[in-house]
PDB file of all heavy atoms in Angstrom:
ATOM      1  N   VAL A  20       6.238 -22.688  -7.143  1.00 90.00           N
ATOM      2  CA  VAL A  20       5.543 -21.639  -7.892  1.00 90.00           C
ATOM      3  C   VAL A  20       6.251 -21.336  -9.205  1.00 90.00           C
ATOM      4  O   VAL A  20       7.459 -21.119  -9.218  1.00 90.00           O
ATOM      5  CB  VAL A  20       5.560 -20.272  -7.134  1.00 90.00           C
ATOM      6  CG1 VAL A  20       4.522 -19.329  -7.715  1.00 90.00           C
ATOM      7  CG2 VAL A  20       5.411 -20.440  -5.655  1.00 90.00           C
ATOM      8  N   ALA A 347       7.760 -15.830   9.064  1.00 94.00           N
ATOM      9  CA  ALA A 347       6.907 -16.946   9.499  1.00 94.00           C
ATOM     10  C   ALA A 347       5.994 -17.317   8.332  1.00 94.00           C
ATOM     11  O   ALA A 347       5.880 -16.574   7.359  1.00 94.00           O
ATOM     12  CB  ALA A 347       6.094 -16.525  10.715  1.00 94.00           C
ATOM     13  N   SER A 348       5.373 -18.471   8.439  1.00 95.00           N
ATOM     14  CA  SER A 348       4.533 -18.967   7.348  1.00 95.00           C
ATOM     15  C   SER A 348       3.203 -18.211   7.280  1.00 95.00           C
ATOM     16  O   SER A 348       2.838 -17.490   8.205  1.00 95.00           O
ATOM     17  CB  SER A 348       4.248 -20.455   7.552  1.00 95.00           C
ATOM     18  OG  SER A 348       3.375 -20.612   8.658  1.00 95.00           O
ATOM     19  N   ILE A 349       2.517 -18.429   6.185  1.00 95.00           N
ATOM     20  CA  ILE A 349       1.181 -17.849   6.029  1.00 95.00           C
ATOM     21  C   ILE A 349       0.285 -18.349   7.148  1.00 95.00           C
ATOM     22  O   ILE A 349      -0.433 -17.578   7.790  1.00 95.00           O
ATOM     23  CB  ILE A 349       0.590 -18.251   4.660  1.00 95.00           C
ATOM     24  CG1 ILE A 349       1.442 -17.678   3.523  1.00 95.00           C
ATOM     25  CG2 ILE A 349      -0.860 -17.801   4.538  1.00 95.00           C
ATOM     26  CD1 ILE A 349       1.095 -18.229   2.161  1.00 95.00           C
ATOM     27  N   MET A 387      -0.524 -18.525  -3.442  1.00 92.00           N
ATOM     28  CA  MET A 387       0.598 -19.064  -2.665  1.00 92.00           C
ATOM     29  C   MET A 387       0.909 -20.481  -3.107  1.00 92.00           C
ATOM     30  O   MET A 387       0.094 -21.148  -3.749  1.00 92.00           O
ATOM     31  CB  MET A 387       0.212 -19.071  -1.180  1.00 92.00           C
ATOM     32  CG  MET A 387      -1.051 -19.894  -0.958  1.00 92.00           C
ATOM     33  SD  MET A 387      -1.652 -19.845   0.728  1.00 92.00           S
ATOM     34  CE  MET A 387      -3.056 -20.945   0.577  1.00 92.00           C
ATOM     35  N   ALA A 388       2.120 -20.948  -2.704  1.00 92.00           N
ATOM     36  CA  ALA A 388       2.490 -22.325  -3.003  1.00 92.00           C
ATOM     37  C   ALA A 388       1.810 -23.258  -2.006  1.00 92.00           C
ATOM     38  O   ALA A 388       1.521 -24.407  -2.307  1.00 92.00           O
ATOM     39  CB  ALA A 388       4.005 -22.475  -2.926  1.00 92.00           C
ATOM     40  N   GLY A 389       1.572 -22.761  -0.795  1.00 93.00           N
ATOM     41  CA  GLY A 389       0.918 -23.546   0.249  1.00 93.00           C
ATOM     42  C   GLY A 389       0.911 -22.723   1.523  1.00 93.00           C
ATOM     43  O   GLY A 389       1.579 -21.683   1.587  1.00 93.00           O
ATOM     44  N   LEU A 390       0.198 -23.189   2.545  1.00 95.00           N
ATOM     45  CA  LEU A 390       0.093 -22.407   3.788  1.00 95.00           C
ATOM     46  C   LEU A 390       1.434 -22.271   4.496  1.00 95.00           C
ATOM     47  O   LEU A 390       1.618 -21.418   5.350  1.00 95.00           O
ATOM     48  CB  LEU A 390      -0.913 -23.057   4.739  1.00 95.00           C
ATOM     49  CG  LEU A 390      -2.390 -22.859   4.402  1.00 95.00           C
ATOM     50  CD1 LEU A 390      -3.244 -23.697   5.339  1.00 95.00           C
ATOM     51  CD2 LEU A 390      -2.773 -21.387   4.501  1.00 95.00           C
ATOM     52  N   GLY A 391       2.399 -23.158   4.136  1.00 95.00           N
ATOM     53  CA  GLY A 391       3.708 -23.116   4.777  1.00 95.00           C
ATOM     54  C   GLY A 391       4.654 -22.084   4.168  1.00 95.00           C
ATOM     55  O   GLY A 391       5.739 -21.834   4.687  1.00 95.00           O
ATOM     56  N   GLN A 392       4.252 -21.467   3.064  1.00 95.00           N
ATOM     57  CA  GLN A 392       5.137 -20.486   2.413  1.00 95.00           C
ATOM     58  C   GLN A 392       5.370 -19.286   3.330  1.00 95.00           C
ATOM     59  O   GLN A 392       4.455 -18.816   4.011  1.00 95.00           O
ATOM     60  CB  GLN A 392       4.486 -20.013   1.095  1.00 95.00           C
ATOM     61  CG  GLN A 392       5.373 -19.089   0.284  1.00 95.00           C
ATOM     62  CD  GLN A 392       4.753 -18.705  -1.069  1.00 95.00           C
ATOM     63  OE1 GLN A 392       3.765 -19.279  -1.505  1.00 95.00           O
ATOM     64  NE2 GLN A 392       5.350 -17.713  -1.709  1.00 95.00           N
ATOM     65  N   HIS A 393       6.603 -18.793   3.349  1.00 95.00           N
ATOM     66  CA  HIS A 393       6.905 -17.628   4.170  1.00 95.00           C
ATOM     67  C   HIS A 393       6.242 -16.386   3.580  1.00 95.00           C
ATOM     68  O   HIS A 393       6.257 -16.188   2.365  1.00 95.00           O
ATOM     69  CB  HIS A 393       8.409 -17.410   4.274  1.00 95.00           C
ATOM     70  CG  HIS A 393       9.049 -18.302   5.279  1.00 95.00           C
ATOM     71  ND1 HIS A 393      10.346 -18.147   5.698  1.00 95.00           N
ATOM     72  CD2 HIS A 393       8.543 -19.355   5.967  1.00 95.00           C
ATOM     73  CE1 HIS A 393      10.617 -19.079   6.599  1.00 95.00           C
ATOM     74  NE2 HIS A 393       9.546 -19.823   6.771  1.00 95.00           N
ATOM     75  N   VAL A 394       5.725 -15.561   4.456  1.00 94.00           N
ATOM     76  CA  VAL A 394       5.006 -14.376   4.014  1.00 94.00           C
ATOM     77  C   VAL A 394       5.917 -13.424   3.233  1.00 94.00           C
ATOM     78  O   VAL A 394       5.479 -12.744   2.316  1.00 94.00           O
ATOM     79  CB  VAL A 394       4.352 -13.689   5.236  1.00 94.00           C
ATOM     80  CG1 VAL A 394       3.980 -12.269   4.925  1.00 94.00           C
ATOM     81  CG2 VAL A 394       3.122 -14.482   5.663  1.00 94.00           C
ATOM     82  N   THR A 396       7.898 -14.022   0.945  1.00 92.00           N
ATOM     83  CA  THR A 396       7.965 -14.339  -0.486  1.00 92.00           C
ATOM     84  C   THR A 396       6.612 -14.239  -1.180  1.00 92.00           C
ATOM     85  O   THR A 396       6.479 -14.593  -2.344  1.00 92.00           O
ATOM     86  CB  THR A 396       8.541 -15.747  -0.711  1.00 92.00           C
ATOM     87  OG1 THR A 396       7.638 -16.706  -0.154  1.00 92.00           O
ATOM     88  CG2 THR A 396       9.904 -15.914  -0.067  1.00 92.00           C
ATOM     89  N   LEU A 397       5.600 -13.749  -0.487  1.00 92.00           N
ATOM     90  CA  LEU A 397       4.314 -13.502  -1.141  1.00 92.00           C
ATOM     91  C   LEU A 397       4.382 -12.175  -1.877  1.00 92.00           C
ATOM     92  O   LEU A 397       5.132 -11.284  -1.500  1.00 92.00           O
ATOM     93  CB  LEU A 397       3.194 -13.406  -0.111  1.00 92.00           C
ATOM     94  CG  LEU A 397       2.640 -14.688   0.477  1.00 92.00           C
ATOM     95  CD1 LEU A 397       1.518 -14.347   1.457  1.00 92.00           C
ATOM     96  CD2 LEU A 397       2.127 -15.615  -0.609  1.00 92.00           C
TER      97      LEU A 397
END
Side-chain angles (χ1 to χ4, degrees):
V20 196
S348 70
I349 297 169
M387 58 185 182
L390 284 173
Q392 185 176 348
H393 280 191
V394 162
T396 65
L397 282 181

